Amino acid sequence: MSIPSGAPVAAPRVPEAVHRRRWAILGVLMFSLLIVVLDNSILNVAVKTIASPAPTGIGATQSELEWAINSYTLVFAGLLFTAGLLGDRIGRKKVLLAGILVFGIGSALAALSSSPGELITWRALMGFGAAFVMPATLAVLMNVFERDEQPKAIGIWAGSVGLGIAIGPITGGLLLEHFWWGSIFLVNVPVVVLALIAMAVLVPDSKDPAPGRVDPLGVVLSVIGLVLLVYGIIRGGELASFTDVTVLAPLIGGLLVLTGFVWHEKRSSHPSIDIAYFREPAFSAAVAAIALVFFALMGVTFFSAFYLQSVRGYTALESGLLILPLAAAQMIFAPRARLVVDRFGARAVCAVGMLLVAAGLAAFALFDADTPLWVLCLVFFVQGTGMAHIMPPVTVAVMQALPRERAGSGSAINNTFRQVGGALGIAVLGSVLSTVYRSDIEGHLDGVPAAARDVAGESIEATLGVAEKLGPAGKPLVAAANDAFIGAMHVTALGSSAVALIGAAVVALFLPGRPVVRGERVPEAQDTGEPVRQS
């Protein structure tokens, strides 16, 4: 499309050689992103196997299993912002190659772990590598696609995230049926080798041509603040309480450090991120929507796994297959979300998407132990459809608000809010689930030996474990555990739905509507030389 003289141009055209191979580059970026997202969900299906004594597993305790998951999340979330800044300064391709290489090395070492401590350490190393991969993929995408194609490319990128979340449990279930537990990590190694070769050949390097001076204090404050905040969130989820001093201290400390980071960035002559972007309602609403939708979704993903496996009795592989409709909806609709946005505007599309997510979450409040499978699949499909019409538009809003040379910073902001929102969803909603469950099950533990009573009240898995040891006498306890969990799930689902409704209100109030030119609507402001206002 030719651009009339006088029309604003967002960025110079990408080199023709890069433009010709842009879709192949996107394929490589999706491939790299997929293994990072997939690995973050694949471990969930292997926790029981890893907890088994050697040689089946490595005898990890419940706390050690939690930290095998959380060490990855803690390092990953803490370094996302820094990784984006480094990509802008030293080159996104360099950062992407280094990140995927570290992730591959961490995967191989995790597969060969002989103790829980080793597994926790190597999972942290994997999180270190992943932190440099995720923001770099989106930053490279913004630099190889022209502005008018970026929404389509981001839609495909977002679809690959949904695919990774869904196929992780399926892949893990298949590997555990045929190989030892370490295979869920070792499978990453050949994928990493292929990704490194493809990146070296296809992906161009890019960086901020005028990065300015380094802001070391800002970088240090962002890392410390995010690590403390995420640690407090994780710790609160572990204890099912946010009033303990070991939770409040890191939470308050993290918030204070991040407040100091904002104060420093506003006064710095060479800030890591221009805080002025957050004064724009559309930008702030977009990042808030990202955090809120992942808060709601990750919370429901957490308790739906227990519902499917503990209450309904499905295997890890079967429960993973039941989530396929969510991935299918994202793969179908996310790449096409831009077309709906062009017609109805980001505000309407994202608000309706949030309402669909809220409806899907609220539906869990109606589920019981006998809910038909087709209803579960329909609800997951509705949730995936809602997400597919939220993530691409809000990601486009964040990424196109920043100049192309700051794409790494924009991607880091996008992914940091998503990661913190997801971690908070699991911790807060997990705490609600645990508290309500414990309250309901305590009245049914009278016949349980005193030594096992506290353990039996911790979770449905713990209750079922105690019931199994009681033999035939434990059958009433199984029924009570299922009823108590379903009741707790109903409360938690309504809480998740309420968070999604808040997200719907935020985007409805602050995201822009459709562009208007002299009373007529056009899809992109930069395609015309006329003044553009937002409806």
Side-chain angles (χ1 to χ4, degrees):
M1 178 183 294
S2 62
I3 301 178
S5 60
V9 179
R13 182 178 175 83
V14 300
E16 185 61 33
V18 173
H19 182 74
R20 285 198 302 268
R21 65 176 190 267
R22 64 196 185 283
W23 297 110
I25 294 169
L26 179 59
V28 175
L29 298 177
M30 287 175 59
F31 197 53
S32 307
L33 180 66
L34 187 63
I35 60 171
V36 171
V37 176
L38 181 150
D39 193 83
N40 210 12
S41 60
I42 199 172
L43 182 60
N44 292 328
V45 304
V47 289
K48 289 185 178 180
T49 306
I50 295 173
S52 302
T56 303
I58 52 176
T61 65
Q62 181 67 30
S63 176
E64 289 167 339
L65 288 172
E66 289 174 357
W67 274 107
I69 297 171
N70 293 336
S71 62
Y72 181 100
T73 302
L74 189 63
V75 175
F76 182 63
L79 291 177
L80 271 172
F81 184 72
T82 301
L85 294 176
L86 285 175
D88 285 343
R89 289 182 174 277
I90 68 176
R92 288 117 191 180
K93 180 176 181 177
K94 297 183 184 72
V95 165
L96 187 56
L97 288 169
I100 201 73
L101 178 62
V102 170
F103 182 84
I105 293 171
S107 297
L109 293 171
L112 301 175
S113 299
S114 58
S115 69
E118 289 182 11
L119 179 60
I120 293 168
T121 301
W122 302 134
R123 283 283 295 169
L125 183 63
M126 292 171 67
F128 184 94
F132 287 82
V133 173
M134 184 168 275
T137 59
L138 189 52
V140 170
L141 180 155
M142 297 299 292
N143 278 274
V144 301
F145 282 91
E146 298 291 355
R147 188 178 179 90
D148 59 339
E149 283 190 321
Q150 286 171 358
K152 180 179 180 181
I154 288 174
I156 296 172
W157 180 89
S160 69
V161 174
L163 179 63
I165 292 172
I167 68 173
I170 298 171
T171 305
L174 288 171
L175 289 170
L176 291 174
E177 282 188 0
H178 298 93
F179 305 102
W180 98 113
W181 68 267
S183 62
I184 65 171
F185 301 118
L186 196 61
V187 71
N188 292 332
V189 176
V191 179
V192 164
V193 172
L194 291 174
L196 286 171
I197 295 171
M199 283 180 210
V201 173
L202 290 172
V203 176
D205 204 0
S206 62
K207 61 181 179 180
D208 187 343
R213 290 159 52 198
V214 178
D215 177 25
L217 179 58
V219 169
V220 171
L221 288 175
S222 71
V223 173
I224 294 174
L226 285 169
V227 167
L228 285 173
L229 179 64
V230 175
Y231 175 80
I233 292 169
I234 290 171
R235 183 65 177 159
E238 285 181 342
L239 299 179
S241 170
F242 283 81
T243 58
D244 189 275
V245 67
T246 61
V247 177
L248 288 175
L251 278 178
I252 295 172
L255 290 172
L256 288 174
V257 173
L258 290 175
T259 301
F261 168 74
V262 172
W263 182 86
H264 168 73
E265 295 299 293
K266 289 173 69 175
R267 287 156 179 77
S268 175
S269 60
H270 49 287
S272 297
I273 180 66
D274 189 350
I275 301 299
Y277 287 118
F278 287 92
R279 297 195 190 107
E280 295 294 328
F283 183 88
S284 295
V287 295
I290 291 169
L292 289 169
V293 74
F294 270 85
F295 180 101
L297 190 79
M298 294 306 291
V300 78
T301 301
F302 174 76
F303 68 67
S304 66
F306 288 100
Y307 168 70
L308 293 172
Q309 294 184 45
S310 300
V311 176
R312 301 297 296 265
Y314 295 117
T315 65
L317 178 57
E318 289 168 342
S319 61
L321 289 170
L322 285 171
I323 303 177
L324 273 180
L326 186 147
Q330 290 200 57
M331 292 179 66
I332 293 168
F333 295 114
R336 296 169 175 80
R338 76 194 192 283
L339 303 175
V340 189
V341 172
D342 286 347
R343 181 165 184 178
F344 299 104
R347 180 193 303 158
V349 171
C350 290
V352 172
M354 279 287 194
L355 290 175
L356 286 176
V357 171
L361 295 170
F364 274 86
L366 303 175
F367 289 179
D368 56 32
D370 301 311
T371 300
L373 284 182
W374 69 266
V375 175
L376 296 178
C377 293
L378 178 62
V379 168
F380 281 128
F381 188 82
V382 168
Q383 287 180 325
T385 302
M387 282 200 69
H389 289 89
I390 299 167
M391 295 312 299
V394 296
T395 302
V396 169
V398 171
M399 297 305 295
Q400 291 192 344
L402 276 69
R404 179 176 282 178
E405 60 268 18
R406 303 299 300 274
S409 300
S411 179
I413 292 169
N414 176 76
N415 288 298
T416 299
F417 272 82
R418 177 171 61 185
Q419 193 68 22
V420 171
L424 195 58
I426 292 173
V428 173
L429 297 175
S431 298
V432 172
L433 183 77
S434 177
T435 301
V436 177
Y437 176 80
R438 181 183 286 273
S439 175
D440 288 348
I441 198 64
E442 279 181 351
H444 301 276
L445 299 178
D446 294 337
V448 177
R453 195 169 298 160
D454 286 342
V455 174
E458 289 180 356
S459 66
I460 185 172
E461 283 294 317
T463 308
L464 294 177
V466 170
E468 185 178 356
K469 292 178 181 178
L470 294 175
K475 286 186 178 181
L477 186 57
V478 172
N482 289 339
D483 290 341
F485 181 85
I486 289 173
M489 182 181 74
H490 291 168
V491 174
T492 310
L494 292 175
S496 304
S497 182
V499 171
L501 288 174
I502 293 172
V506 168
V507 298
L509 289 172
F510 299 110
L511 278 188
R514 296 169 63 192
V516 179
V517 180
R518 291 179 181 174
E520 294 189 6
R521 304 183 187 273
V522 295
E524 287 288 348
Q526 70 271 22
D527 286 341
T528 176
E530 299 294 337
V532 176
R533 64 181 177 83
Q534 299 292 337
S535 60

